[in-house]
Amino acid sequence: MSTASMTTAKAPPVLDVDPFSDENIADPTAFHTALRETGPVVFIEKYDMYAVGRYDEVKTVMSDYQRFTSTGGIGMSDIRKPGAWRTPSPITEIDPPRHTGVRGAMTKILSPIVIRKWREHFSEEAEVVADRVVAKGEIEAVTELVEAYVLKVFPDVLGVDMPRKDFIAIGEMNFNQIGPNNENLQKSLKRVEPILDAYQKSFQRESMIPGGFGEKIFLAEDAGEFEKGTAGVQVRSFLRAGVDTTIAGIGHTLNLLAQNPGEWAKVKAAPAKIRTAFEEALRLHSPSQVMFRTTSAPLEFAGLSLAGDVKIGNFMGAANRDPRKFEDPDRFDVDRDVTGVHLAFGTGPHVCIGQMIARLEAECILGAIVRRVKAIEPAGDPEYRIVNTLRTLERLPLRLVPA
Ligand code: HEM
């Protein structure tokens, strides 16, 4: 790395921590604090990269595409260089003005009017899942409740058919790939080997189920709205981005409600608060913990001098607990409305295009549970899944006490 500096500003301080150790993945609290308190930008030698974890800096780096480009990829690996271990996405890994056209065409396909029409289907499926789990009483909520729901409704509207366990394995691979090429990634690559061919097929034109928005992406390509040959990989971007994040967010909400009976009581008394509870859960346990950018050129940022062409990790998970921004940041508070303020959906030109969908899923399934139960109680310790950049639960044993 060249450290040529054009100013008198100092280089960022070094932080000697591996954010992707199993220990830091299982509980990132200590890493987040060290990241925020070491400086506005730090340098992590092990990966030859910068990192930011304070709210203001994360917000700026994610928005300022001229200085912090997405064209090197939103993962740690530079997709423009030999040896990259991720393949590019035709929506997340381009900058404006190219991105503006793609995003506009996609926004037409996923307009609020289109998404609102899905409410009936999402609600019906939520009632089915909620009836089943409440009748059972004691459940493992990740598989029986959250995955059962999201892996039904999201593939239904996307119009893609893939076995449920394949979705989970592929998701794990994707979120490992955003981080380093470590043992976690190698393990998940091995796990998906037998299903890779079927996965590649699942986002091709002939696999689209008529009526889904996947099919609409292909039709938009035919109409010249997307570059020729990119529709399949656009559909793949939705498989990469839309499933595991939503499962994670709904799982965290249930866990936090079970762990905080006082907050549950507020939701039970005013069920509309389930929406702010979901946003609070995304703030506290941001499913997508980090997204990367690359410095376009040597530059000065936050009073520090950064070299050009170096990866910078935006740790949204750390920013969302920054005491500079959030009072008592570790407290789960369903009366705190952080919608549009927390950075779990990103910010700037690439801000999550599926956030309305995630919110609709959360509102339907969590609302169906709230209406049916008087209490959600822990029935064992929750366990986190070890995935490089995804904060999600592996197991969530819960007792649902019928109302
Ligand atoms: C709680 C659930 C979700 C979370 C936490 C989440 C998080 C994010 C984040 C952080 C970004 C910004 C990436 C960047 O700046 O580099 C993003 C973008 C994106 N998300 Fe989501 N997402 C969620 C749900 C969804 C859903 C349901 C969909 C499917 C429709 C989706 C599709 C996308 C796509 C396609 C992008 C790229 C947008 C662009 O580059 O213009 N996401 N998401």
Side-chain angles (χ1 to χ4, degrees), residues 62 74 91-92 99 103 110 154 213 238 241-242 245-246 278 282 287-288 291 293 316 344-346 349-354 357-358 361:
M62 294 195 88
I74 55 156
I91 182 163
T92 55
H99 174 260
R103 177 87 184 198
L110 286 178
F154 187 73
F213 78 82
F238 286 94
T245 46
T246 312
F278 178 61
L282 294 179
S288 176
M291 287 279 172
R293 299 289 190 261
M316 291 100 78
F345 286 119
H350 291 278
V351 68
C352 182
I353 200 169
I357 305 174
E361 289 176 59

Side-chain angles (χ1 to χ4, degrees), residues 95-344:
D95 288 336
R98 219 180 129 207
H99 174 260
T100 317
V102 172
R103 177 87 184 198
M106 204 57 94
T107 305
K108 268 206 295 191
I109 295 173
L110 286 178
S111 72
I113 297 171
V114 170
I115 294 169
R116 274 199 284 270
K117 286 195 189 130
W118 297 344
R119 179 180 279 277
E120 200 183 325
H121 176 57
F122 282 21
S123 301
E124 277 170 15
E125 293 298 337
E127 304 296 316
V128 172
V129 174
D131 276 342
R132 193 168 60 223
V133 290
V134 175
K136 201 164 172 204
E138 207 162 302
I139 58 161
E140 195 294 284
V142 173
T143 43
E144 293 179 85
L145 197 173
V146 191
E147 290 178 0
Y149 179 65
V150 174
L151 292 177
K152 170 77 181 106
V153 295
F154 187 73
D156 278 356
V157 294
L158 181 56
V160 165
D161 191 15
M162 196 164 53
R164 192 188 292 176
K165 65 174 186 354
D166 292 359
F167 265 104
I168 299 299
I170 292 289
E172 236 178 79
M173 177 190 72
N174 286 331
F175 279 90
N176 274 323
Q177 265 172 337
I178 292 174
N181 190 355
N182 60 6
E183 209 181 307
N184 293 334
L185 174 58
Q186 289 307 318
K187 269 197 226 154
S188 61
L189 286 173
K190 247 200 144 38
R191 191 171 156 210
V192 301
E193 243 170 47
I195 56 170
L196 265 188
D197 284 349
Y199 170 56
Q200 298 285 349
K201 245 184 86 193
S202 71
F203 49 82
Q204 305 305 324
R205 181 186 285 262
E206 59 279 13
S207 306
M208 294 301 110
I209 298 168
F213 78 82
E215 184 194 41
K216 297 211 173 75
I217 295 176
F218 279 94
L219 295 175
E221 181 192 295
D222 295 342
E225 294 190 43
F226 296 118
E227 262 171 52
K228 272 236 127 345
T230 58
V233 269
Q234 292 289 6
V235 174
R236 188 192 60 185
S237 293
F238 286 94
L239 290 172
R240 277 181 173 183
V243 180
D244 310 275
T245 46
T246 312
I247 290 172
I250 298 173
H252 294 313
T253 315
L254 286 165
N255 186 29
L256 286 163
L257 288 171
Q259 307 279 346
N260 295 276
E263 298 309 295
W264 162 259
K266 290 183 199 164
V267 171
K268 190 65 198 156
K273 287 193 178 153
I274 202 65
R275 294 195 202 126
T276 47
F278 178 61
E279 302 290 332
E280 248 308 74
L282 294 179
R283 180 184 72 77
L284 282 168
H285 297 281
S286 307
S288 176
Q289 283 278 299
V290 54
M291 287 279 172
F292 290 79
R293 299 289 190 261
T294 310
T295 52
S296 303
L299 54 95
E300 206 178 299
F301 178 62
L304 297 166
S305 157
L306 310 194
D309 198 26
V310 177
K311 282 282 173 171
I312 179 161
N314 297 289
F315 285 85
M316 291 100 78
N320 281 335
R321 287 184 184 234
D322 185 354
R324 293 164 190 79
K325 178 69 186 176
F326 301 101
E327 212 185 302
D328 201 357
D330 298 328
R331 191 163 56 91
F332 174 58
D333 177 356
V334 299
D335 288 326
R336 155 159 50 195
D337 189 359
V338 289
T339 312
V341 178
H342 70 70
L343 300 174

